[in-house]
Amino acid sequence: MTTPAEPPTVRTTCAIVGGGPAGLVLGLLLARAGVAVTVLEKHADFLRDFRGDTVHPTTLALLDDLGLFDRFEAIPHSRVTHVDLPDPEVTGVTWEKGRVAIGIPRDGYIQVAQLGPKGADDAVRARGLDAFRADAAQLFPEAVTGVTGIGSMADVKHLDVRLDRLRRWHAPGVLCIGDAAHAMSPVGGVGINLAVQDAVAAASILAPLLRSGGASGRAEARALARIQRRRMVPTVVIQGMQRILHAALIMPAIRGRDLRPPSWVVKVVRQVPWLSALPALAVGVGPRPERAPRWARRPS
């Protein structure tokens, strides 16, 4: 009888639990700072039913700073140069009698996300597969051929949207960033980008401390609190924007109201065209954008 081999013992200066955007970027930056770092991830791949993949200008600038932009550019992706509401031909958004769907272009197929109020998932599943296929084809005709590939309602995934954050992100020896510190709504596709920004701020503050290896508990506590203070304001501001969008756009659309902006808003934007760039700036750049520290930068 053979006894199972003992798992190897790994010693490291910093252990990162979770290989998501925040964890991997933090690991890369700390490694470039000369810190011994280990990233722990239970999944063997990056395939998920729901995953953030909207990359904003701040993240693109970071990839360029790190010398990774050319490799990123080679990955198949779609570019969004402008968004016009409520034109479904441009946005990939359709709505009809309180039903709202968003088409997300993937490599070789379209992923369709249908929005609904809390608690609606059970009712959708109770109607059965045929009804779901018919509704999906009617609401999003571009996906009419793809819905036949849905074998059962088990293939239809449910995402329960939450919007919250921790009051305290840290404890002795522990720091939460990204989704571990703040759950974001999919609105605006900000989650992955905010997580990356958290990682850059954390690496900038923690790298000198971890590299020295002799920091006291008090110095560590100050550094962790400083990271939370630095990233809390952007988190609060962006979550506030998302709550406004939920109240002003998402819920009215689900309740069957018109998505068109008020006439006075249209008039103001037409008179002052540059105002139309403010929403994109707020979402794509956001408050307090982070840049890679100089010691982590590489030429592309």
Side-chain angles (χ1 to χ4, degrees), residues 242-279:
Q242 290 187 321
R243 286 190 172 92
I244 292 172
L245 290 172
H246 272 266
L249 290 178
I250 303 300
M251 292 311 299
I254 291 175
R255 292 168 182 151
R257 298 178 186 171
D258 197 348
L259 277 178
R260 297 179 185 278
S263 58
W264 67 267
V265 173
V266 176
K267 291 179 181 178
V268 170
V269 171
R270 285 176 177 172
Q271 292 177 359
V272 189
W274 61 266
L275 288 175
S276 63
L278 292 181

Side-chain angles (χ1 to χ4, degrees), residues 94-108:
T94 63
W95 62 93
E96 178 184 286
K97 297 180 181 179
R99 295 185 301 163
V100 184
I102 301 173
I104 306 169
R106 302 295 189 188
D107 188 14

Side-chain angles (χ1 to χ4, degrees), residues 86-97 99-106 109-115 131-148 150:
D87 183 357
E89 296 298 325
V90 175
T91 63
V93 179
T94 63
W95 62 93
E96 178 184 286
K97 297 180 181 179
R99 295 185 301 163
V100 184
I102 301 173
I104 306 169
R106 302 295 189 188
Y109 67 99
I110 297 175
Q111 182 179 11
V112 179
Q114 182 172 342
L115 280 60
F132 179 84
R133 286 174 173 170
D135 288 347
Q138 180 183 7
L139 183 60
F140 212 93
E142 294 91 332
V144 65
T145 57
V147 295
T148 58
I150 303 175

Side-chain angles (χ1 to χ4, degrees), residues 2-188:
T2 59
T3 58
E6 289 290 329
T9 300
V10 178
R11 295 185 178 275
T12 188
T13 300
C14 177
I16 298 174
V17 182
L24 291 179
V25 171
L26 179 58
L28 172 63
L29 293 177
L30 291 179
R32 288 192 176 183
V35 176
V37 58
T38 300
V39 179
L40 305 175
E41 170 55 51
K42 66 178 180 179
H43 295 98
D45 55 53
F46 293 102
L47 299 178
R48 302 289 184 275
D49 296 322
F50 300 102
R51 64 189 188 277
D53 54 6
T54 305
V55 183
H56 290 172
T58 49
T59 305
L60 295 175
L62 175 67
L63 292 171
D64 192 39
D65 287 343
L66 299 179
L68 300 175
F69 187 82
D70 289 342
R71 294 171 65 179
F72 170 81
E73 184 74 2
I75 300 173
H77 61 278
S78 301
R79 295 190 180 194
V80 177
T81 58
H82 69 282
V83 175
D84 295 330
L85 283 175
D87 183 357
E89 296 298 325
V90 175
T91 63
V93 179
T94 63
W95 62 93
E96 178 184 286
K97 297 180 181 179
R99 295 185 301 163
V100 184
I102 301 173
I104 306 169
R106 302 295 189 188
D107 188 14
Y109 67 99
I110 297 175
Q111 182 179 11
V112 179
Q114 182 172 342
L115 280 60
K118 291 280 187 180
D121 183 59
D122 289 343
V124 171
R125 295 180 185 278
R127 296 184 62 219
L129 181 60
D130 291 339
F132 179 84
R133 286 174 173 170
D135 288 347
Q138 180 183 7
L139 183 60
F140 212 93
E142 294 91 332
V144 65
T145 57
V147 295
T148 58
I150 303 175
S152 70
M153 290 302 292
D155 296 332
V156 180
K157 307 302 180 182
H158 174 236
L159 174 63
D160 187 17
V161 174
R162 298 181 182 273
L163 187 59
D164 54 27
R165 59 182 178 272
L166 297 177
R167 290 193 180 96
R168 183 181 175 91
W169 296 11
H170 58 89
V174 177
L175 172 68
C176 295
I177 60 174
D179 287 349
H182 42 72
M184 309 300 292
S185 162
V187 171

Side-chain angles (χ1 to χ4, degrees), residues 58 197 201 226 229-231 233-234 285-291:
T58 49
Q197 298 288 300
R226 182 183 166 197
R229 288 195 303 270
R230 180 166 173 164
R231 297 305 306 162
V233 170
V285 177
R288 191 155 196 172
E290 306 282 352
R291 293 298 299 268

